[in-house]
Amino acid sequence: MSDWKLLNTSTPSGAANTSFTNLTGYKIFKFVFIDVNPATDSTNFQMEGSTGSFGVTKTTTAFSAYHYESDSGAALGYEAGHDLAQSTSAQPLSGSIGNGSDENASGELYLYAPSSTTYVKHFYSKLNLYGSDNHSGNWFIAGYFNTTSAVSAIRFSMSSGNFDGVIKQYGLVAS
């Protein structure tokens, strides 16, 4: 039997970013995003890892599904503009989130063995959003931090401007 233990809660309000530095003591971490709302319309929610400074090299892949509120379009596909190949850039976890009071994003990010000094650090994310152009989008990101150094922090931000929301950090307790 295993259970998730709540470790931290961040409630950014008009913040440029929020970071979590407690990445030891557990093999798997889960970050839950609740009602992430950007101040700037049509921006992406993103994350970065740190081994002492942010910008850890990562390789990722991305795909999404969307459906317009007007029923004018829907699709499922690969998102070439959101995957990274040996890049130190921030990893987008979403498409364009609207900044209206009824527009936001919610989802999860799983990070595996960030304190390992033997292996690369795998992660995956799934996130649903209400987009700036009136669509529901479901985003899936997977990849790894290409380092055998311990990843000591994770930072969340928007691709432009500040944001509000709630982010909870959990550690997996295995018995």
Side-chain angles (χ1 to χ4, degrees):
M1 187 79 177
S2 42
D3 200 11
W4 291 101
K5 179 180 180 185
L6 178 63
L7 303 175
N8 290 302
T9 299
S10 176
T11 56
S13 178
N17 62 65
T18 187
S19 298
F20 293 84
T21 57
N22 179 10
L23 298 179
T24 59
Y26 299 90
K27 295 284 186 185
I28 304 172
F29 290 89
K30 174 172 66 171
F31 298 89
V32 177
F33 319 119
I34 304 164
D35 295 335
V36 172
N37 180 256
T40 304
D41 195 36
S42 197
T43 57
N44 300 329
F45 187 56
Q46 60 188 16
M47 69 92 171
E48 297 179 86
S50 172
T51 57
S53 63
F54 287 99
V56 177
T57 301
K58 66 196 83 47
T59 295
T60 65
T61 190
F63 72 94
S64 74
Y66 69 86
H67 191 187
Y68 281 93
E69 192 174 273
S70 64
D71 203 25
S72 62
L76 168 69
Y78 170 62
E79 295 289 348
H82 282 67
D83 69 1
L84 302 175
Q86 290 301 99
S87 174
T88 58
S89 297
Q91 173 62 54
L93 299 177
S94 75
S96 297
I97 304 169
N99 70 340
S101 60
D102 64 342
E103 300 172 325
N104 62 51
S106 295
E108 300 173 324
L109 170 77
Y110 293 84
L111 175 62
Y112 297 88
S115 60
S116 169
T117 55
T118 304
Y119 303 109
V120 300
K121 291 28 164 204
H122 295 273
F123 59 85
Y124 77 92
S125 173
K126 52 187 177 177
L127 187 140
N128 189 270
L129 63 88
Y130 184 74
S132 57
D133 57 355
N134 300 321
H135 75 278
S136 175
N138 209 332
W139 285 79
F140 302 88
I141 310 296
Y144 62 94
F145 291 109
N146 193 7
T147 182
T148 55
S149 297
V151 172
S152 57
I154 295 290
R155 177 170 65 191
F156 299 99
S157 64
M158 301 307 296
S159 57
S160 177
N162 297 336
F163 73 103
D164 302 330
V166 175
I167 303 174
K168 295 183 176 277
Q169 177 194 23
Y170 296 87
L172 184 64
V173 178
S175 55

